[in-house]
């Protein structure tokens, strides 16, 4: 009974399938080799899937259902039958990215394609038969490469309907509709299982193509819905199957996992459970999935980089000292390590700049080791010559110690940068305190007088009291720093050349700042103690009068010395006193102004020495009557003429090159 029923069912089924046309389902291809025509690179893998191509370049693979399929009911009724097919496929591209070209579901009069080409031709067409109606081929391509010629093989993830030609009559980027017109991309090259449906309605003459990821239901709206009458394309019997090809430069493995096909009916559903999944990578390195691989690569790169950095660092530590430090540098106690200075100044941050000179900035910093404030003068030059001599001089200057000198702590050279490290002096320079006082702070006369005495004392130390004669060469108000107790501290003597006691200075060029340069220095370039005294004289007048040496507010022609001389000769020297000063001691003021004139005498021999200056200021010795010294008309004239020359632009070229150019008037505003 049961047998009879089942036989009846079988019979019924057979009849149905006959009337409906060819109908088959490969839920995997295990043991189905007999039903398939495999040509080219195609094989059935042991796991039960067809691999049309591996990643070998320029190969073709075909897999066709062995039996011809009747696509027309009869020759007397030439309309093409409806058909439907469901496919599960996968395309595994190399991890390097350039996968290609794709696979195509094909209806063809023959399962073999002699002379067909790889690349874009999918192993179906060739350049000579392409777009010939005699081909009678319908192909639905799942293509991963754009373009049909060799000059345009860009990535392209698209689905197309091809009639007798690789030129698609309709194509769309691979995607599926979720709701309405919203599309989601389907990355066919990902190696994941891709679900595809091709449905042709012979009556409506409409060809639908749909793709979706394997875990999604069949989208209700097909990706492609193309109206076409296949009657003239399809012959009475056709072979159905797949073709794939790889490119010369682009290749992927193409797999067919499962396939269902039906003529005049809906293809049976593929059972999606337990479908084999193609290996993502075929080579031995394929045991990791792409994310894991990426992680491994990233980690390896990281480890490699760390090792490289470590190696470089070690090499640096071992090699750099011998590279940057020459033999002579080792014995320099005042040499700083660059990284210490870098740390102290927070990497020479702009916000740490406290002054700027012609050669570079002055940075404030705190030495991490001691917590002491430092000022770092950074001199940037194009190649420092005479570094060794310079370092030797800094080394010896570093031994200068006087309460009215800014301590030169040391130096450092780094490539083209020369760094000179001084104590940090908090209150800034004398010229800012006089000309641009902050918070209405005005130096009183007592403070000014004390500062002037301090400068004199510092200069005396440089000229006479140390083991060598040190000519400052750039005595001016901006080189006088004021400490927290409002004492004067001379700075920048580091740029002065050293002179042995008694040695007459050699001509090395003019160093100094316009307005403070002694006439004989400008003429001969010979710096001396007397030329420092000249600068000091100008400084005295400046502090007492509150006016700049040249062109102070009035006019460019204003010359402070001349103006004071005029007033002195007219017997009203106190008219030159800084009007911003309230109370002052007249005797001291007269002393300072007259001493200023005496020191800035155009004849060097007429100027006092710093020792004498200190004695005058301390009242140990009366100041000789200045009248006697400036009787001669020529003084005034000389000075005026000189100052005019000095104040004209031409003299600016006096920036000179002692120390190979380190010192110059352009260091003016530095500290
Ligand atoms: C790819 O397939 C071709 C043809 O079947 C074969 O000759 C070749 O060795 C295969 N290459 C690899 C890497 O499997
Ligand atoms: C195909 O056969 C292999 C063993 O030969 C088996 O491991 C695999 O699961 C089978 N696949 C299917 C889809 O039946
Ligand atoms: C062809 O097959 C379709 C599908 O069943 C059917 O509707 C149609 O009548 C058939 N035509 C002929 C001429 O047999
Ligand atoms: C192109 O393909 C056709 C049909 O497959 C074949 O007859 C022809 O020889 C091929 N031409 C070339 C140049 O290979
Ligand atoms: C294919 O051939 C048809 C004529 O048969 C022609 O109109 C069409 O432009 C051709 N297409 C291409 C891409 O060459
Ligand atoms: C070849 O590719 C280029 C690239 O854009 C395209 O412009 C050209 O039309 C293509 N040639 C053919 C014959 O398809
Ligand atoms: C093809 O898609 C259209 C919608 O675009 C639908 O109306 C039609 O029924 C579909 N035909 C087949 C055979 O799936
Ligand atoms: C057969 O095809 C012709 C056009 O080729 C069309 O006019 C006719 O409606 C079709 N008949 C059927 C039953 O599909
Ligand atoms: C393959 O790549 C080479 C070098 O990049 C190039 O010369 C050649 O034209 C490419 N071939 C194809 C078919 O794209
Ligand atoms: C699908 O296949 C699994 C085993 O491979 C089976 O358990 C399940 O019943 C099948 N589903 C259908 C609808 O045939």
């Amino acid at each position: 009974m049961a047998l009879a029923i089942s036989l009846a069912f079988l019979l019924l089924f057979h009849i149905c399938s006959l009337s409906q046309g060819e109908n088959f389902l490969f839920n995997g291809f295990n043991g189905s080799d007999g039903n398939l025509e495999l040509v080219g690179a195609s094989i059935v893998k042991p796991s039960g899937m067809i691999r049309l191509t591996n990643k070998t370049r320029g190969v073709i693979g075909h897999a066709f259902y062995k039996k011809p399929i009747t696509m027309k009911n009869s020759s007397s009724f030439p309309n093409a039958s409806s058909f439907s097919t469901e496919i599960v496929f996968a395309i595994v591209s190399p991890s390097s990215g350039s996968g290609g070209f794709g696979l195509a579901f094909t209806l063809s009069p023959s399962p073999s394609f002699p002379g067909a080409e790889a690349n874009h031709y999918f192993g179906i067409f060739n350049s000579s038969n392409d777009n010939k109606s005699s081909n009678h081929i319908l192909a639905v391509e799942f293509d991963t490469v754009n373009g049909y010629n060799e000059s345009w093989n860009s990535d392209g993830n698209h689905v197309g309907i091809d009639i007798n030609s690789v030129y698609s009559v309709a194509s769309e980027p691979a995607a599926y509709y979720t709701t309405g017109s919203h599309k989601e991309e389907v990355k066919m090259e990902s190696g994941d299982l891709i679900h595809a449906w091709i449905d042709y309605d012979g009556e409506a003459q409409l060809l639908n193509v749909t793709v979706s990821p394997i875990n999604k239901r069949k989208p209700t709206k097909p990706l492609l819905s193309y109206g076409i009458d296949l009657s003239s394309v399809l012959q009475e019997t056709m072979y159905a199957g797949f073709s794939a090809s790889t490119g010369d430069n682009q290749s992927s493995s193409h797999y067919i996992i499962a396939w269902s096909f039906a003529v005049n009916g809906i293809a049976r559903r593929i059972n999606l459970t337990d479908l084999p999944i193609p290996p993502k990578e075929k080579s031995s390195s394929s045991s990791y999935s792409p994310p894991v691989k990426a992680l491994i690569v990233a980690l390896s790169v990281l480890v490699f980089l760390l090792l490289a950095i470590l190696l470089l660092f070690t090499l640096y530590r071992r090699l750099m000292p011998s590279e940057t430090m020459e033999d002579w540098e080792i014995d320099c106690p005042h040499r700083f390590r660059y990284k210490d200075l870098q740390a102290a100044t927070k990497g020479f941050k702009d916000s740490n700049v406290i002054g700027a000179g012609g050669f570079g900035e002055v940075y404030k910093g705190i030495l991490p080791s001691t917590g002491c404030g430092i000022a770092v003068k950074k001199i940037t030059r194009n190649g420092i010559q005479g570094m060794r001599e310079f370092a030797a001089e800094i080394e010896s200057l570093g031994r200068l110690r006087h309460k009215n000198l800014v301590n030169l702590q040391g130096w450092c050279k780094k490539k083209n940068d020369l760094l000179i490290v001084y104590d940090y002096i908090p209150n800034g320079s004398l010229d800012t305190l006089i000309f641009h006082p902050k918070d209405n702070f005005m130096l009183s006369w007592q403070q000014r007088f004390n500062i002037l005495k301090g400068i004199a004392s510092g200069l005396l130390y440089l000229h006479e009291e140390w083991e060598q004669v040190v000519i400052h060469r750039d005595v001016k108000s901006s080189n006088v720093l004021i400490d927290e107790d409002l004492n004067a501290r001379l700075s920048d003597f580091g740029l002065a050349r050293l002179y042995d006691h008694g040695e007459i200075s050699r001509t090395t060029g003019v160093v100094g700042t316009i307005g403070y340069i002694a006439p004989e220095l400008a003429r001969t370039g010979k710096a001396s103690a007397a030329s420092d005294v000249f600068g000091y004289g100008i400084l005295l007048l400046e502090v007492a009068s509150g006016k700049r040496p040249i062109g102070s507010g009035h006019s460019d022609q204003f010359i402070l010395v001349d103006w004071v001389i005029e007033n002195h000769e007219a017997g009203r020297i106190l008219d030159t006193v800084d009007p911003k000063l309230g109370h002052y001691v007249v005797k001291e003021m007269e002393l300072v102004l007259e001493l200023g004139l005496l020191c800035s005498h155009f004849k060097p021999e007429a100027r006092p020495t710093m020792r004498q200056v200190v004695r005058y200021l301390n009242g140990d010795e009366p100041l000789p009557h200045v009248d006697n010294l400036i009787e001669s008309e020529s003084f005034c004239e000389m000075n005026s003429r000189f100052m005019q020359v000095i104040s004209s632009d031409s003299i600016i070229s006096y920036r000179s090159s002692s120390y190979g150019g380190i010192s110059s008037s352009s260091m003016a505003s530095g500290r």
Side-chain angles (χ1 to χ4, degrees):
M1 182 63 183
L3 188 71
I5 292 173
S6 56
L7 266 175
F9 262 104
L10 231 143
L11 196 67
L12 191 70
F13 183 78
H14 189 66
I15 290 160
C16 281
S17 66
L18 269 184
S19 68
Q20 285 195 333
E22 197 69 52
N23 180 329
F24 53 81
L25 166 66
F26 294 106
N27 221 106
F29 296 92
N30 264 0
S32 55
D33 305 35
N35 293 324
L36 294 171
E37 177 106 14
L38 300 172
V39 178
S42 296
I43 55 163
V44 173
K45 301 275 286 176
S47 54
M49 52 193 170
I50 299 172
R51 190 188 69 198
L52 294 167
T53 73
N54 56 17
K55 281 173 201 148
T56 304
R57 284 151 189 232
V59 295
I60 294 169
H62 295 145
F64 278 80
Y65 187 61
K66 217 164 197 169
K67 286 189 273 178
I69 299 164
T70 306
M71 295 302 294
K72 293 177 179 178
N73 289 17
S74 75
S75 49
S76 56
F77 183 70
N79 287 23
S81 301
S82 302
F83 66 86
S84 131
T85 187
E86 179 182 359
I87 309 154
V88 176
F89 69 89
I91 300 174
V92 182
S93 63
S95 45
S96 61
S98 55
F101 270 78
L103 62 89
F105 169 78
T106 310
L107 289 176
S108 154
S110 155
S112 65
F113 302 83
E117 292 173 27
N119 290 307
H120 280 294
Y121 294 102
F122 291 112
I124 305 168
F125 305 104
N126 59 30
S127 43
S128 55
N129 73 359
D130 191 29
N131 201 24
K132 295 244 163 68
S133 56
S134 58
N135 288 334
H136 293 289
I137 288 174
L138 164 74
V140 176
E141 60 176 50
F142 301 93
D143 194 352
T144 57
V145 180
N146 263 332
Y148 308 106
N149 61 41
E150 298 190 348
S151 61
W152 187 41
N153 288 339
S154 61
D155 282 354
N157 182 40
H158 66 274
V159 177
I161 296 169
D162 302 348
I163 308 292
N164 293 329
S165 166
V166 290
Y167 294 88
S168 304
V169 291
S171 84
E172 279 289 332
Y176 68 100
Y177 287 95
T178 50
T179 51
S181 61
H182 180 72
K183 270 198 283 195
E184 291 276 345
E185 191 190 1
V186 177
K187 286 198 170 73
M188 298 190 298
E189 268 188 315
S190 63
D192 297 331
L193 299 187
I194 308 294
H195 214 164
W197 297 265
I198 300 161
D199 301 294
Y200 177 67
D201 185 335
E203 265 179 66
Q205 299 178 347
L206 198 61
L207 182 65
N208 289 353
V209 182
T210 312
V211 285
S212 86
I214 195 74
N215 54 352
K216 296 280 189 279
R217 295 168 67 97
K218 183 181 180 183
T220 47
K221 186 174 177 185
L223 175 64
L224 285 169
S225 190
Y226 182 66
I228 184 170
D229 181 7
L230 290 178
S231 304
S232 60
V233 178
L234 302 183
Q235 294 186 331
E236 248 167 85
T237 56
M238 300 290 281
Y239 289 86
F242 301 91
S243 182
S245 66
T246 60
D248 295 339
N249 294 334
Q250 291 147 302
S251 63
S252 303
S253 298
H254 300 92
Y255 295 91
I256 305 295
I257 317 294
W259 179 29
S260 171
F261 182 87
V263 175
N264 287 327
I266 293 178
R268 281 176 282 159
R269 308 245 338 243
I270 293 169
N271 186 345
L272 298 177
T273 51
D274 298 334
L275 284 180
I277 293 165
K280 298 249 166 147
E281 283 286 348
K282 287 194 75 263
S283 61
S284 55
S285 66
S286 66
S287 41
Y288 301 106
S289 65
V292 175
K293 259 181 131 177
L295 193 71
I296 288 168
V297 168
L299 280 176
S300 319
V301 167
L302 194 71
V303 166
F304 177 77
L305 278 179
L306 283 176
L307 281 174
I309 287 166
L310 196 72
L311 185 73
L312 277 179
F313 189 69
T314 319
L315 282 176
Y316 178 84
R317 292 290 298 266
R318 290 185 59 179
L319 291 177
M320 284 321 266
S322 60
E323 237 180 65
T324 53
M325 222 156 84
E326 292 155 40
D327 292 345
W328 54 268
E329 289 184 56
I330 294 160
D331 294 330
C332 297
H334 292 92
R335 188 181 177 279
F336 274 79
R337 285 195 300 181
Y338 184 75
K339 68 171 178 123
D340 292 342
L341 297 184
Q342 207 173 17
T345 57
K346 294 175 184 158
F348 296 101
K349 230 165 94 179
D350 285 350
S351 58
N352 279 34
V353 173
I354 49 173
F359 279 111
E361 280 79 34
V362 182
Y363 296 84
K364 179 188 171 176
I366 292 171
L367 274 183
S369 51
T370 58
C372 288
I374 53 168
V376 182
K377 183 170 212 152
K378 188 174 181 184
I379 301 169
T380 304
R381 301 185 62 244
N382 303 325
I384 294 168
Q385 295 124 27
M387 264 309 294
R388 183 175 183 159
E389 292 72 18
F390 181 81
E393 289 184 5
I394 298 263
E395 281 299 316
S396 87
L397 290 172
R399 288 183 284 119
L400 286 165
R401 284 288 177 271
H402 189 271
K403 66 181 170 63
N404 294 112
L405 297 182
V406 176
N407 270 349
L408 194 159
Q409 292 194 12
W411 59 281
C412 168
K413 91 175 161 77
K414 164 88 174 178
K415 287 185 185 159
N416 286 341
D417 289 351
L418 181 68
L419 304 154
I420 305 176
V421 183
Y422 294 100
D423 284 354
Y424 174 65
I425 308 294
N427 279 337
S429 66
L430 179 59
D431 81 321
T432 42
L433 284 177
I434 289 178
F435 299 112
H436 310 285
K438 273 185 212 144
D439 310 325
N440 290 328
F441 172 79
M442 182 57 61
L443 283 170
S444 73
W445 174 246
Q446 263 333 297
Q447 289 161 341
R448 291 190 193 197
F449 193 52
N450 182 51
I451 286 166
L452 291 173
K453 279 175 163 178
I455 301 166
S457 168
L459 276 174
L460 174 59
Y461 175 78
L462 289 175
H463 286 178
E464 294 181 28
E465 290 178 351
W466 197 49
E467 59 201 54
Q468 289 172 297
V469 174
V470 178
I471 306 294
H472 188 292
R473 285 185 165 224
D474 205 5
V475 178
K476 59 177 172 177
S477 54
S478 62
N479 270 342
V480 175
L481 303 186
I482 305 300
D483 67 17
E484 55 273 4
D485 302 324
L486 296 179
N487 286 315
R489 309 282 296 266
L490 258 177
S491 85
D492 253 6
F493 47 83
L495 302 177
R497 221 185 209 303
L498 290 175
Y499 291 87
D500 290 323
H501 280 279
E503 190 192 324
I504 296 163
S505 68
R506 288 153 292 162
T507 305
T508 52
V510 177
V511 179
T513 303
I514 287 158
Y516 300 87
I517 302 171
E520 81 280 3
L521 178 58
R523 266 201 312 272
T524 65
K526 282 180 190 167
S528 62
S531 59
D532 273 2
V533 172
F534 181 93
Y536 179 72
I538 302 291
L539 186 56
L540 287 171
L541 299 179
E542 202 179 346
V543 170
S545 68
K547 287 187 172 58
R548 299 257 188 212
I550 315 170
S552 179
H554 302 260
S555 75
D556 287 346
Q557 299 303 309
F558 176 81
I559 290 164
L560 179 58
V561 190
D562 291 2
W563 183 62
V564 177
I565 288 171
E566 278 164 25
N567 280 283
H568 180 252
E569 288 184 335
R572 36 189 174 80
I573 195 165
L574 290 179
D575 285 5
T576 63
V577 171
D578 188 350
K580 297 190 289 296
L581 264 180
H583 171 77
Y584 58 89
V585 182
V586 173
K587 274 209 116 34
E588 287 173 356
M589 182 61 81
E590 283 173 347
L591 172 65
V592 164
L593 284 166
E594 287 176 16
L595 183 57
L597 290 180
L598 189 59
C599 289
S600 52
H601 197 287
F602 80 99
K603 277 185 180 157
E605 316 86 70
R607 296 171 206 152
T609 64
M610 281 321 292
R611 187 169 294 283
Q612 284 172 305
V613 166
V614 169
R615 290 180 64 80
Y616 295 145
L617 286 175
N618 289 340
D620 295 342
E621 206 178 304
L623 187 70
H625 224 295
V626 185
D627 287 340
N628 302 339
L629 292 161
I630 54 170
E631 264 170 356
S632 71
E633 269 296 304
S634 63
F635 174 84
C636 201
E637 279 172 21
M638 269 300 295
N639 246 343
S640 301
R641 224 180 299 133
F642 167 66
M643 283 303 189
Q644 265 153 18
V645 168
I646 278 286
S647 61
S648 74
D649 286 348
S650 63
I651 208 81
I652 294 193
S653 62
Y654 269 110
R655 308 163 103 223
S656 86
S657 60
S658 66
Y659 300 130
I662 286 166
S663 51
S664 121
S665 57
S666 55
M667 297 292 280
S669 55
R671 274 165 232 191

